[in-house]
Amino acid sequence: QVQLVESGGGLVQPGGSLRLSCVLSGGTLDYYAVAWFRQVPGMERGGIACVNKGGGPTRYSDSWKGRFTISKDNTVKTVYLHLNNLKPEDTAVYYCAAPSYNRRCGLSWYDMDYWGKGTPVTVSS
């Protein structure tokens, strides 16, 4: 069974950086794409970036491209989200998610079939 576990969230000052991690179990990144989303109360989960299965390209939402970077390490089945120059409005719960086996990336929450429980990020001085 596919499971995703996020870590790395926390409290950071404006202008700071964080690296979030998402560990995949029950499958490999050769056959599962993984995306990062974020959600604030009362809002829909918004897609940030997705890394395709195997050696496929990454995709970014225009909203966060440039400050946030997605990467992966197949050897440890981990996908990272690097958050840079953080702003108070980046405060949210960050989730990783995956579509079904051998499907391509998506940045809409309804494209995803598996979700982690999320890791909270608070940007505040």
Side-chain angles (χ1 to χ4, degrees):
Q1 182 178 356
V2 171
Q3 291 186 322
L4 300 161
V5 179
E6 306 96 333
S7 63
L11 174 64
V12 62
Q13 292 187 342
S17 299
L18 281 176
R19 188 184 75 169
L20 307 183
S21 300
C22 172
V23 179
L24 170 71
S25 61
T28 74
L29 295 175
D30 290 330
Y31 294 104
Y32 286 92
V34 174
W36 282 96
F37 290 76
R38 74 183 202 180
Q39 187 172 30
V40 296
M43 300 290 288
E44 188 175 280
R45 288 184 188 182
I48 300 170
C50 186
V51 59
N52 258 303
K53 59 183 176 66
T58 56
R59 289 182 57 188
Y60 288 91
S61 166
D62 289 340
S63 300
W64 295 289
K65 191 174 184 178
R67 290 196 299 126
F68 297 174
T69 305
I70 195 169
S71 64
K72 68 176 180 177
D73 185 340
N74 288 344
T75 63
V76 291
K77 297 197 289 184
T78 300
V79 176
Y80 303 100
L81 185 67
H82 307 263
L83 310 176
N84 298 308
N85 190 22
L86 284 162
K87 304 175 181 180
E89 53 264 39
D90 294 320
T91 295
V93 179
Y94 287 73
Y95 297 88
C96 64
S100 294
Y101 177 85
N102 214 27
R103 286 182 58 193
R104 291 185 176 183
C105 269
L107 290 176
S108 299
W109 63 267
Y110 46 82
D111 291 329
M112 301 296 127
D113 295 287
Y114 306 101
W115 290 89
K117 294 183 178 180
T119 185
V121 172
T122 302
V123 184
S124 175
S125 55

